[in-house]
Amino acid sequence: MNAALAAVTGSFDIPTIEYSALAPILIVLGAAVVSVLVEALVPQAYRRTLQLVITFAALVGALVAVVALWGTQQIVAMGSVAVDGPTLFMQGSILVLSAIAALVMAERRVDPAGDSFAPRASALPGSEDEQAFTRLGWLQTEVWTLFLFCVGGLLLFPASTDLLTMFVALEVLSLPLYIMVGLARRRRLLSQEASLKYFVLGAFSSAFFLYGTALLYGYAGTVSLSGIADALGASAGDTGLVLAGVALLSVGLLFKVGAAPFHQWTPDVYQGSPTSITGFMAACIKVAAFGALLRVMYVALGGIRWDWRPMMYVIAALTMIVGTLFALTQTDIKRMLAYSAIAQAGFMLVGVVATNAAGLEGTMVYLLAYGVATVGAFAIVTLVRDTTGEATHLSQWAGLGKRSPVVAAAFALFLLAFAGIPLTSGFTGKFAVFTAGIAGGATPIVVIGVVASAVAAFFYIRVIVLMFFNEPAAEGGPSVVIPSAFTTLAITVAVALTLVIGVLPQLVFDLVSQAGLFVR
Amino acid sequence: MTNSYWLLALLVVPLVGAAAVMLVPRANERLAKQLALVVSLVVFGLTVAMCAQFVVAQAADFQFVYSVSWISSYNINFALGVDGIALVLIALSTSLVPVVLLAGWHEADGARGSVRGYVALILVLEAAMVGVFAATDLFLFYVFFEAMLVPVYFLIGRYGGPRRNYAAVKFLLYSLFGGLLMLASLLGLYVVSGDITGHGTFDFTQLAALANQIPPDTQKWLFVGFFVAFAIKAPLVPFHTWLPDAAAESTPGTAVLLVGVLDKVGTFGMLRYCLELFPGASHWATPLVIVLAVAGIIYGALQAIGQSDIKRLIAYTSVSHFGFIALGVFVMTTQGQSGSALYMVNHGFSTAALFLIAGFLISRRGSRLVDDFGGVQKVAPILAGTFLVAGMSSLALPGLSSFVSEFLVLVGTFERYTWVGVVATLGIVLAALYILLMYQRTMTGPTPDVVTEKVHDLRGREVLAIAPLLVVIVALGFYPKPVLDVVNPAVDRVMHAVGATDPAPQVAPVAEGTAK
C-alpha cells in the first residue's frame, strides 16, 4: 500500500551517506571551506599562521581517519565512492606526500623576497603594480585554500566508483591546480604560460574523459564501474561503442598520468610552476591519477582486458622510450625531472598492463616510492639559488657536492632511487612492477622497461657526475641556501622514507597486501 | 639450522669500520688510514679464522649459513653461505684489501675527495665484495651486484686520473645495463619457479633443483640475461671496452680491486649461476661462449702488445686472462673448471702485484706511458725485480701460480676441443711477448735522466705491501693443492648439475707401433 502510494506520488529516497567512511575527504574539504573564511575574515597578520595550522591539522586529521578506517571494504555514498584497501592506501600516500610538499610550500626563508609565490597572481608580469607589491613585501596565503581543495579532489579521485563522481573529483583537483601553477613569484611569464597551457590541455582532456563516459553510458546504461563491468560480462550492446568509450576515457586519464603521447604539457608545466608546487603535483597527481586509472581498468574493464591491453602495451612502451630519450637532452633540472616523471609513468604502466593482483600492489608501491623521492628532489631544487632565483640550469649544479656535500648527497640519493639502484625505494617499486609484469605475461614490455631503465640511469648519473666530479663553475655562482625547519624536515622525511622503503620493503609490501583488491 | 655469524661479521665489520672512518676529523688523514688498515686486517683475520673452520670434505655444500627472512612477500631471504669456490674468492678479496690500503697509502692525497672518504669507500666495497660472493639468495646477490657499483663509481670518479668522469660513467652504465638485463631474467626465473612449484623463490639451492624442469626456450632467454651481465662484468670480448678505461683512470688500488676481484664476479657468476641454473641453455650456448673466450684471449693479448699506456696494457692482459677463465668454465670438464676457479684466485694476486708496482712506477715518474721509462732496473732494482716476478706469473711461468691454473684450463680444453686448445695456447706465447716487451722497454736499456732523477726504489711500506703477494704467487705456484682441494668438490657439484662428464681419456688406436 505504502509502496504503491510512493510509486504514484513519486518518492525521494534520502541518500545514505556514510560520513565516517568518507571522513578523510570530508575533513580536507571542510578545512578548505574554513580556509576560505579565514582568507575573507581574518586580518592579514594572522592568516599565515592560521592557514598553516588548518592545513596541517586537516592533513594529519585525515591521515588519522585513514588509519582508523584501515581494513574497511565497502562502497558508500549510494554506490559512488569505494572505501577499500587500495583507496585507503592511496589516500594515505597522498596525504603523506601532500604533507611533505606542504612543508616545502611553507618555506619563507630561502627566497629573500618572502615566499615562492607571487604577491598578487592577477598583477601583470613586469607591471608597476607587481613591482610595487614586491617592494612592499606583500605575501599571499590563498595558495593554502587552493591546496586544500586540490588535496580533497585528489583523495576522491581514486576512490570514485562511478565515472561521474570521478569526473567531479577530476575537476575539483584540477581547477585549483591550474591556478597554483601560475603563482610562481619569479619568472612570472613562464609560470603564467604554464598555467594557461595546463588549463587548456587539461580542459581538453577532461572533455575527452566526459565523452568517453557518455559513450560508456550509452553502452551500459550506467556510469557505475561495476555496472559497466556487468554489462560487459553480459556482452550486450554495441562493442564499437565500448571500445571508443574506453579509448576516450583512457585519453583523459593518461593525460593526468602524463603518459606519452599525452605528455606534452608535462615539461612546460613542471618548469613554469613554483618548484614546491611542481613537487606536489608530480607526486600526488600521479598517485591519484594512477589510482583512478587502475580502478577503471581493473574494475570496469577487467573483463575486456584483451581488448585494451595491446593499446596499453604500446602506450607503456612509448612512454618509457619518449620519457627516457627526451630526458637525455635536457639542460634544465626541472625539465629533466619532468621527462623523468614521464619515463617513470611508463614503468608504472607496466604494473597496470600486468592486470593481476601483483600489478595493483606493485603499482601502489611504486607510486609511494616515486612520490617520496620526487617531493624530496624538488624540495632540494628550491634550495639551489643564485641572485635571480632558483638556479635550474644543469651547468649551475656543477661542483655542488664540494660546497654542500649533505644536500648534494641527499639529491644523489633521490636520483639513485629514480634510477632504481637497489637499497633505495625506487628499486623496490621497479622490482614489484616488473615481477608483476612478467607474471602477467607482459615480458616484452618488462624487457623494454629494463633497457629504458639502463638508458635512464645515464641522465640521473650525469647529474651526480656534475655535482660530485666536476669543478664548480665560478665564484659567485649559485649556492645552497640554508632553509628553515620546514624544508629541512621535508627533505629529512623524504630521505628517511626513501631508505626505509629501499632497505625494509617488507613494511610496504605488508601494507599493500593487506590493502588487497578493489571492492566492487 | 642454526645461523652462523662468520659471514655476517665479514659484512658488518667493514661497514662499521667505514662509518668509524667517516667520523675521523677530515684533517686527520693519517688516523683515518690507520683505522681503515686496522679494520681491514681484522676482517682478514676473521677470514683466516673462518677458513680454518671450513670443512673441506663438504666443500660442495654451503657452509657458515646465515639466513633471515627479508622480504617475505616475495620469499626473499637475507641468506649467506659459501661453498669452496666462494670461500677462496672471499679470502682473495679480504686479503687484497689491506694490501691495497697499505700500498696506496698516498693515493688519495691531494685528490678531489677526502682521504677518509677514499678509505671508507674501499671498506664499503669490501663489504659488498664479501656479500656478492656469499649471497645464496639470488635477489640478495643482485642487490650486492648493483650496490658494489656505487663505491667503485665514486672511487674512480672522485679519485681517478684525468679522464675519470668518462671512465666512471662508462663503467657504471655498462654494468648497470648488464645488471638490469640480469634483473629481468631474475624476475623471470622467480615467476617460472612459481609456475613450477606454486610458490616462487630466489633461493639458489631450490632454483638449482628446478633447473631441469624449466622449458628449454624459457631457459635460453633467462640464460641470456644472466650471461650478458656476467660477460660485461668479466669482461668478455666484445663487452670489454669499459675495462681499459676504468682500470687506467682509477688509482692503482681501485684498479686492483676492480680487475682483481670485482670482475671475478662475472666468471664466478658464469660458473655458479649460468651453469647450475640453466644447464640446458649452457650447453646450447657453449660454442658461442668458447668462440668469445678464445677471441678474448687472442684479442686481449694483441691489444696489450699494442698499448703505450702501462695501465691499459695490464688491463688488456686481464681481458686475455678472463678469456682463459671463461674458456675453462665452459669447456665443461673438471680440469677446466677447477683450473678456472684457481685462475680466479691466481689472477687476482698477480694482477694486484702488477697494478700496484706499476702504480709505484707511474706515481714516481708522473707518466703512464711506456716510452717515458727505460733502464729502471739500474736505479730501482727491487721495483724492477718484483715487477718481473709479477709479470712472469702473469705470463704463466712454471713455478709461479698462474701456470698451474692456465695449464689446467688448457688440459681441460684439449680433452674436449683440441683445436680450441691449440688456438688458446697461442695466448701464452703472446703473453710472453707483451710482458717481456713491457719489461724490456721500461726496465732495461739506457736510463733517461728524468727517470734517474725521479724514480727511486721501493720503500719499506711498499715492500711490505708487495711481499705477501709475491709469497702467495710463489707458494701457490709450487703447492696449489690447498686451494684445489677446497675448490674441487664445488666444481664437481657444478659438473653434476650441468650434466657434464669428463670425456674418457682417448688413446689413439693407431698409437702402438703402427706408425710407418
Side-chain angles (χ1 to χ4, degrees):
Chain A
M1 179 68 194
N2 278 343
L5 194 66
V8 173
T9 55
S11 73
F12 183 76
D13 291 329
I14 299 169
T16 50
I17 303 286
E18 292 79 350
Y19 291 100
S20 63
L22 291 170
I25 302 170
L26 294 179
I27 289 172
V28 172
L29 287 178
V33 173
V34 175
S35 169
V36 174
L37 294 176
V38 168
E39 277 304 310
L41 303 175
V42 174
Q44 174 89 45
Y46 305 109
R47 273 189 216 159
R48 171 177 154 89
T49 319
L50 211 51
Q51 291 286 21
L52 285 182
V53 170
I54 292 171
T55 305
F56 285 102
L59 294 178
V60 171
L63 192 61
V64 169
V66 166
V67 173
L69 284 171
W70 189 250
T72 312
Q73 292 277 354
Q74 59 171 334
I75 294 197
V76 299
M78 305 297 285
S80 54
V81 176
V83 179
D84 53 12
T87 295
L88 291 170
F89 182 85
M90 290 193 219
Q91 288 183 337
S93 305
I94 291 167
L95 288 165
V96 170
L97 296 171
S98 309
I100 304 175
L103 286 170
V104 185
M105 288 165 60
E107 178 64 52
R108 277 200 171 172
R109 193 184 286 172
V110 296
D111 195 320
D115 57 16
S116 53
F117 304 108
R120 285 290 176 273
S122 51
L124 279 177
S127 66
E128 280 180 24
D129 279 356
E130 193 187 67
Q131 286 161 10
F133 293 142
T134 309
R135 207 167 41 245
L136 292 170
W138 282 21
L139 299 168
Q140 52 104 341
T141 44
E142 290 98 341
V143 70
W144 295 106
T145 313
L146 298 167
F147 175 77
L148 283 172
F149 274 115
C150 183
V151 173
L154 288 169
L155 295 180
L156 181 58
F157 198 38
S160 320
T161 51
D162 72 53
L163 293 172
L164 272 186
T165 311
M166 200 174 266
F167 180 74
V168 171
L170 179 66
E171 293 305 300
V172 172
L173 78 89
S174 298
L175 291 172
L177 204 59
Y178 299 143
I179 306 174
M180 287 156 80
V181 165
L183 285 183
R185 173 182 286 279
R186 307 196 176 243
R187 302 195 184 104
R188 293 282 307 134
L189 270 178
L190 209 59
S191 178
Q192 297 206 338
E193 180 195 331
S195 176
L196 187 67
K197 242 178 206 168
Y198 195 25
F199 170 67
V200 172
L201 288 173
F204 201 47
S205 77
S206 294
F208 272 101
F209 185 93
L210 211 52
Y211 200 168
T213 306
L215 292 183
L216 284 174
Y217 180 78
Y219 172 82
T222 171
V223 287
S224 105
L225 297 180
S226 54
I228 294 172
D230 292 341
L232 286 169
S235 61
D238 184 357
T239 338
L241 214 52
V242 183
L243 295 182
V246 170
L248 292 171
L249 194 67
S250 308
V251 171
L253 289 168
L254 290 170
F255 173 85
K256 280 290 162 203
V257 160
F262 315 109
H263 66 284
Q264 308 287 357
W265 59 276
T266 318
D268 290 340
V269 173
Y270 276 30
Q271 188 185 20
S273 313
T275 306
S276 50
I277 302 294
T278 313
F280 165 66
M281 61 189 280
C284 299
I285 305 270
K286 204 143 264 181
V287 178
F290 262 100
L293 181 69
L294 282 164
R295 191 177 289 280
V296 169
M297 290 303 179
Y298 280 43
V299 175
L301 308 175
I304 55 161
R305 61 170 165 277
W306 299 110
D307 290 314
W308 59 260
R309 266 176 71 158
M311 169 190 85
M312 289 304 254
Y313 273 20
V314 174
I315 286 178
L318 197 65
T319 307
M320 290 188 274
I321 293 168
V322 166
T324 312
L325 292 186
F326 280 87
L328 287 174
T329 63
Q330 299 306 314
T331 52
D332 183 284
I333 189 92
K334 282 168 85 177
R335 288 185 80 85
M336 191 209 88
L337 288 174
Y339 278 106
S340 127
I342 297 169
Q344 302 283 347
F347 299 137
M348 295 176 205
L349 283 174
V350 175
V352 177
V353 298
T355 51
N356 49 22
L360 172 61
E361 291 178 6
T363 315
M364 291 198 293
V365 172
Y366 203 129
L367 285 166
L368 180 61
Y370 167 77
V372 168
T374 304
V375 250
F378 279 107
I380 289 179
V381 173
T382 63
L383 301 183
V384 183
R385 313 179 73 93
D386 59 14
T387 48
T388 62
E390 287 163 10
T392 56
H393 197 275
L394 271 179
S395 64
Q396 294 171 298
W397 284 57
L400 201 70
K402 195 152 200 169
R403 279 173 292 162
S404 318
V406 177
V407 170
F411 198 68
L413 176 72
F414 295 134
L415 290 172
L416 290 176
F418 290 141
I421 303 286
L423 304 181
T424 63
S425 59
F427 175 67
T428 305
K430 271 205 178 119
F431 167 73
V433 293
F434 285 171
T435 312
I438 292 180
T443 311
I445 299 297
V446 173
V447 173
I448 294 177
V450 160
V451 175
S453 310
V455 179
F458 176 75
F459 57 79
Y460 297 124
I461 302 299
R462 195 177 55 167
V463 180
I464 300 184
V465 170
L466 263 179
M467 291 193 302
F468 285 98
F469 302 165
N470 284 12
E471 292 299 329
E475 285 305 311
S479 58
V480 171
V481 180
I482 306 296
S484 67
F486 285 117
T487 310
T488 313
L489 181 62
I491 296 175
T492 313
V493 171
V495 166
L497 282 177
T498 303
L499 286 174
V500 168
I501 301 174
V503 177
L504 300 170
Q506 188 57 39
L507 299 174
V508 202
F509 286 133
D510 276 342
L511 278 182
V512 290
S513 69
Q514 281 170 23
L517 297 175
F518 290 118
V519 68
R520 292 198 50 189
Chain B
M1 195 190 298
T2 52
N3 280 328
S4 153
Y5 292 94
W6 283 107
L7 290 166
L8 194 64
L10 292 188
L11 265 179
V12 171
V13 172
L15 286 180
V16 173
V21 165
M22 286 312 282
L23 293 178
V24 173
R26 195 184 174 91
N28 200 342
E29 299 180 349
R30 199 180 155 79
L31 179 63
K33 288 190 272 197
Q34 285 167 339
L35 183 60
L37 185 63
V38 169
V39 171
S40 70
L41 286 172
V42 169
V43 177
F44 178 64
L46 283 171
T47 314
V48 172
M50 184 182 85
C51 289
Q53 302 203 6
F54 189 80
V55 184
V56 177
Q58 294 162 14
D61 304 330
F62 289 114
Q63 303 187 25
F64 310 120
V65 173
Y66 176 85
S67 179
V68 289
S69 177
W70 183 22
I71 308 174
S72 52
S73 295
Y74 290 89
N75 213 350
I76 293 168
N77 295 314
F78 188 91
L80 304 172
V82 286
D83 60 3
I85 301 173
L87 181 81
V88 294
L89 287 172
I90 287 176
L92 170 72
S93 319
T94 58
S95 57
L96 282 181
V97 171
V99 170
V100 160
L101 284 172
L102 193 62
W105 202 252
H106 297 297
E107 268 175 4
D109 297 0
R112 289 181 44 76
S114 65
V115 170
R116 64 172 184 187
Y118 181 74
V119 291
L121 282 173
I122 288 191
L123 290 177
V124 172
L125 177 59
E126 179 173 28
M129 293 187 303
V130 170
V132 82
F133 291 123
T136 56
D137 183 286
L138 264 76
F139 182 87
L140 184 64
F141 170 75
Y142 176 77
V143 167
F144 281 121
F145 188 85
E146 295 286 53
M148 206 164 62
L149 304 179
V150 178
V152 181
Y153 171 65
F154 281 99
L155 281 171
I156 301 176
R158 275 180 89 89
Y159 301 92
R163 290 173 72 234
R164 55 174 188 268
N165 280 1
Y166 171 77
V169 171
K170 193 171 178 184
F171 157 77
L172 190 68
L173 291 181
Y174 266 74
S175 305
L176 267 183
F177 179 74
L180 284 164
L181 284 185
M182 180 165 87
L183 176 65
S185 280
L186 190 62
L187 301 180
L189 191 60
Y190 170 77
V191 171
V192 169
S193 74
D195 290 345
I196 295 174
T197 62
H199 58 279
T201 179
F202 285 102
D203 181 83
F204 172 73
T205 316
Q206 290 180 30
L207 286 173
L210 295 176
N212 288 315
Q213 297 176 44
I214 304 174
D217 281 339
T218 315
Q219 222 182 82
K220 285 175 192 169
W221 283 110
L222 298 176
F223 172 87
V224 168
F226 276 84
F227 181 76
V228 171
F230 295 142
I232 289 175
K233 198 92 199 169
L236 285 189
V237 172
F239 304 107
H240 67 285
T241 59
W242 63 270
L243 181 71
D245 288 316
E249 296 305 323
S250 49
T251 61
T254 311
V256 168
L257 296 179
L258 177 68
V259 182
V261 182
L262 250 71
D263 291 354
K264 301 296 170 7
V265 177
T267 43
F268 168 78
M270 290 179 200
L271 188 57
R272 182 188 280 177
Y273 296 112
C274 285
L275 294 196
E276 289 198 59
L277 295 178
F278 316 107
S282 298
H283 285 291
W284 162 75
T286 296
L288 177 69
V289 180
I290 287 183
V291 168
L292 291 182
V294 174
I297 293 173
I298 304 295
Y299 179 78
L302 290 177
Q303 277 285 348
I305 293 172
Q307 294 303 311
S308 55
D309 177 324
I310 299 178
K311 280 162 93 181
R312 287 183 78 87
L313 193 158
I314 302 175
Y316 272 112
T317 68
S318 293
V319 172
S320 180
H321 292 157
F322 280 114
F324 273 111
I325 302 178
L327 180 65
V329 170
F330 273 88
V331 292
M332 314 265 182
T333 55
T334 314
Q335 277 100 333
Q337 292 181 349
S338 302
S340 286
L342 182 62
Y343 211 148
M344 290 188 225
V345 178
N346 293 338
H347 173 264
F349 286 113
S350 51
T351 306
L354 273 180
F355 265 123
L356 291 177
I357 302 169
F360 298 147
L361 195 63
I362 289 164
S363 67
R364 276 162 208 196
R365 171 68 177 80
S367 164
R368 303 200 309 233
L369 297 180
V370 174
D371 291 344
D372 286 346
F373 294 91
V376 172
Q377 62 184 3
K378 277 175 232 149
V379 288
I382 305 179
L383 192 156
T386 50
F387 196 59
L388 186 63
V389 176
M392 287 301 165
S393 172
S394 180
L395 65 76
L397 186 78
L400 298 176
S401 60
S402 295
F403 168 72
V404 185
S405 40
E406 207 157 294
F407 183 73
L408 279 172
V409 168
L410 285 173
V411 169
T413 309
F414 271 107
E415 270 184 33
R416 212 183 275 278
Y417 309 100
T418 315
W419 280 104
V420 173
V422 171
V423 178
T425 313
L426 283 179
I428 301 188
V429 181
L430 293 173
L433 213 55
Y434 56 69
I435 292 291
L436 293 177
L437 275 177
M438 173 170 67
Y439 186 81
Q440 186 193 15
R441 287 179 192 162
T442 53
M443 303 296 179
T444 63
T447 315
D449 290 344
V450 63
V451 171
T452 321
E453 195 180 302
K454 286 186 173 171
V455 178
H456 52 80
D457 214 343
L458 295 189
R459 301 271 161 78
R461 170 182 58 80
E462 294 162 338
V463 174
L464 196 62
I466 297 299
L469 294 178
L470 297 186
V471 169
V472 172
I473 288 173
V474 175
L476 286 181
F478 279 97
Y479 194 62
K481 191 168 175 298
V483 177
L484 282 174
D485 282 348
V486 171
V487 160
N488 278 338
V491 166
D492 290 339
R493 187 195 74 213
V494 175
M495 286 287 288
H496 179 71
V498 78
T501 46
D502 290 324
Q506 288 176 1
V507 181
V510 290
E512 292 169 26
T514 51
K516 290 171 186 156

